[in-house]
Amino acid sequence: MTCEQETTALAAYAMAALDVAETVAVDRHVRQCPVCAGDVDGIRTTLAAVRGLPDHDLLGNWSGRLADLREAAVRAARATAPGPG
């Protein structure tokens, strides 16, 4: 598995959308690759932020809204991150 070619697989893995064999293969890679593990964490953080948005924020014109979504994802990540300690 090459990292540059597996963005789609990582996203599907983060969403639990792979079959068992694919899940095992991607999981094995993610456990050995800190870059991909970070990508999966980022995808899961973004998904959590999107799931927390009201429907009216998700529908309609997305022009110029990606920065807002990124900010929401960062806020969600900070809210769930363990504190120092």
Side-chain angles (χ1 to χ4, degrees):
M1 183 180 270
T2 60
C3 299
E4 297 82 20
Q5 297 176 355
E6 295 303 330
T7 303
T8 302
L10 292 175
Y13 172 79
M15 293 184 284
L18 298 175
D19 66 30
V20 175
E22 292 171 315
T23 298
V24 169
V26 175
D27 186 64
R28 184 177 302 121
H29 175 76
V30 168
R31 290 175 184 268
Q32 297 173 359
C33 179
V35 172
C36 287
D39 288 347
V40 169
D41 287 342
I43 293 166
R44 287 179 175 155
T45 298
T46 301
L47 290 171
V50 168
R51 287 181 186 119
L53 293 172
D55 286 345
H56 68 272
D57 286 345
L58 295 174
L59 303 175
N61 185 353
W62 275 78
S63 299
R65 306 249 340 258
L66 294 179
D68 293 338
L69 179 57
R70 182 181 182 283
E71 182 178 339
V74 170
R75 287 180 190 275
R78 293 189 73 203
T80 60

